[in-house]
Amino acid sequence: MLVMSDLAKTFAKAKLSGLPPETPLYEDDCEREDDSSSASSLSSAGTVRPTSSQRSAPVLNWSDYFAQELYLERQSDKGHAKFHVYLTPPSTPKAPLLVLHHGAGSSGLSFSLFALEIRKLLPNAGVLAVEARDHGSVVWGPGGEVDNDLSIHTLSQDMVDMLHLTRARMSWTEMPTLVLIGHSLGGAVVTDAAKKGMLEDKLIGYAVLDVVEGSAMDALKSMQAYLASRPSGFPTLDAAIDWHIRSRTLRNPRSARASVPSLLVQTPSGSWTWKTDLSSTEAYWKNWFEGMSSKFLSAKGAKLLLLAGTDRLDKELMIGQMQGKFQLLVFPAAGHFLQEDLPDKIAEVVAEFVKRNDRSILVLPPKVGDLLKQGKKV
Amino acid sequence: MSDLDRAIAQLRACRPIPEYQVRELCYKARELLIEEGNVVGVDAPVTICGDIHGQFHDLMELFRVGGDVPDTNYLFMGDFVDRGFYSLESFLLLLCLKVRYPDRITLIRGNHESRQITTVYGFYDECLRKYGSANVWRYCCEVFDYLALGALVIGAATNLEPSDAPFADPTSQASMQTEDQDIEIETLNANGEIMFRFPRNHDASQSSQATSQPSSSPIIDTPSRTGPSGTSATSSANGSRGNDGGAVLCVHGGLSPLIDTIDKIRLLDRKQEVPHEGAMCDLLWSDPDEIDGWGLSPRGAGFLFGADIVKCFNYKNDLSLIARAHQLVMEGFKEMFDSTIVTVWSAPNYCYRCGNVAAILELGEDGSNAGYMRRSNGDVGRRQSSVLTERGRDGPGRRYRVFDAAPQDSRGMPAKKPVADYFL
């Protein structure tokens, strides 16, 4: 027996040594050329230019998906903000504008492929993908210190401000009709803005992608463990894209190439680390999702909830859904980032939602009272 | 004992039947359903039930409270499957009962009786889990395509025979004494005790919870109750006075702007997957709402329709009531628009967490003109009224039985769904 086991051990050792070494989290002797600007840059994907040796899977540029990117400044007694958004303006003043808000740790480019797909279905509609503070936008307090207040109230106000700043920059005489679409934390942000009536009668509806208060609250406990299990950095952008695909965080390589580079910043050593330190945002997690179901159900406007995987509504949403208060669609084949995994399908659903609720084209059958007044037989 | 009776016994024990039996059952059911029109004619007495959603043990509780098949006639308004853990056993049992007692049980289609919806909300996965293949799901979906879209209940009595039952709260008995009045609505709890009793009141603009208003109903002798307890089989004639409660249309969802007469429902080609829009879709998806006219449905399918639409439709089709399901009602049932439409919900504590009670609606039989089948689309005998006044005629007497969720046997339940590992 002893001999056998020794043999087995030797065999196992031999086998192990054959495996490739584990990928180091940081690779100091990164072959990447030194690019001192990107470490400190606000790092839209546009500033990221990988060398040819890393282009096995080419990183895609924002300009493939949006007409322009804007930096919008906000000056107030509370400080200074430099917001970053991607925009494809509506083609006509009557066309709706879809305002897209990403989730925590993500970026406006998470909607890259969706933005392309939706324009195929709604060629006149505009698309505005905003980026939250600490996610591409930067806000400084009065003392010049970076203000990373990520409370839900602040985030929804930032989003609405970005919308108004965009309108001013583009010199639109009137705000277009609006549809808010938020993924994950972004879903909580658009729900908060809708509930507070911040966009008044310009808002025709809002869509929430893959977040439900009940299951988000349940998942809080395991969140830090999940974050700890992610690599803290990557030697190259390709490695980062690879990780997102291999871990099935993202299931669409094309989308991963468009969005992942924007999630990372380069360290002085040349490797890449997360732009947003998610675990440090823990103080806000409860604040983001608490009361979200009730806000979602009671805000004015058409409501669309898109879930990935399974239907996991909490009690409040379950009652609301079975009373017919909102539209629910489940995409069993998608992961959490469903707008990245299934951009064409999500665009299809959103286009239907927009068309259905667009008051300018909506015609309902007449009321009985009106028919009677007209002397018609009913 | 026939194979069918054996299958019924096995399903009543909440045990699935073998695949080959499901296949045979579904084939027989289709042969039966293909003979039914889009709108099935049903004679009162009948007990009308709303959504079940795979809550098998609660379906058993429903039969306990409402009486067993074939002693009680049942009309189920769809949504047999999805969300609950026993969609398969629930639907197959109802289907077995349909094949065994075709005249005693009527099944109409709900929006969940669809391939697309069952793929997402549980029935498909359940079939896969219990049989290892999607065959049974496929057989069931073929049956779904043959289910009728609605039912027309005729011969329901205007007035209820008073239940010979104690009051749940004896102190409320005095205020609800209606010995010398016609009873329009009675609500019973799961023990058969009277919770509320409302007299028919022609002056009241609507039958509300208030019972204080004096009744103008003529005093008539109420015949003694003859139906067995737990059924609505109250077959005595009610004197010489007409006691026809008018026709009741049952659909899962509601009305459609494309349908202004019941005959137009009869003309639809129903043998297909539920479409995303159009009349068939609307009948299964629409909801009544406190609006004027038609509105967009927040569900993304079907429409919202207001009181004017219901009253106009009922007038035009000489209906006294529309019974429908489709919307969760915390109290089990909800009458709207001067009792011209009622929502009946029969899945208590929906999805094992919503905390609601369930209800079924019993319509008694009008014995005064037994054998006479009234046509429900003519003007003959119509009470004088205009399109938008309150209900044009006395509706049927309505007995609601309200019940809670059955104690759950958690064995065999799938483990709680894993929480999302990532949500930010």
Side-chain angles (χ1 to χ4, degrees), chain A residues 196-215:
Chain A
K196 287 178 178 149
M198 297 166 93
L199 301 163
E200 295 162 7
D201 63 347
K202 285 296 170 191
L203 180 66
I204 57 177
Y206 48 98
V208 168
L209 308 185
D210 208 41
V211 62
V212 165
E213 177 183 350
S215 52

Side-chain angles (χ1 to χ4, degrees), chain B residues 185-331:
Chain B
I185 307 175
E186 198 172 68
T187 309
L188 306 179
N189 66 18
N191 300 323
E193 296 162 341
I194 300 164
M195 297 159 72
F196 299 104
R197 179 180 273 177
F198 308 114
R200 186 169 295 281
N201 188 337
H202 293 296
D203 295 331
S205 62
Q206 61 185 63
S207 50
S208 64
Q209 302 281 312
T211 53
S212 55
Q213 282 171 291
S215 167
S216 64
S217 302
I219 297 165
I220 56 162
D221 291 323
T222 45
S224 62
R225 179 183 171 79
T226 55
S229 169
T231 77
S232 58
T234 52
S235 57
S236 302
N238 200 356
S240 58
R241 184 171 173 270
N243 190 24
D244 176 3
V248 179
L249 177 69
C250 303
V251 285
H252 179 71
L255 299 178
S256 165
L258 299 168
I259 299 284
D260 61 345
T261 64
I262 292 175
D263 279 340
K264 287 203 178 144
I265 305 178
R266 295 190 168 103
L267 294 176
L268 299 172
D269 175 19
R270 77 168 192 265
K271 291 166 196 81
Q272 53 169 325
E273 171 78 345
V274 182
H276 289 252
E277 53 188 21
M280 181 168 159
C281 165
D282 297 343
L283 293 168
L284 272 55
W285 278 92
S286 295
D287 296 310
D289 195 29
E290 304 290 343
I291 55 168
D292 243 3
W294 296 96
L296 273 185
S297 170
R299 295 179 189 265
F303 288 86
L304 298 178
F305 52 97
D308 58 332
I309 303 297
V310 174
K311 287 174 182 179
C312 183
F313 186 88
N314 286 6
Y315 178 83
K316 202 166 187 170
N317 292 279
D318 202 11
L319 298 173
S320 57
L321 179 69
I322 295 173
R324 43 91 60 175
H326 193 40
Q327 275 179 301
L328 171 59
V329 186
M330 298 306 282
E331 300 77 24

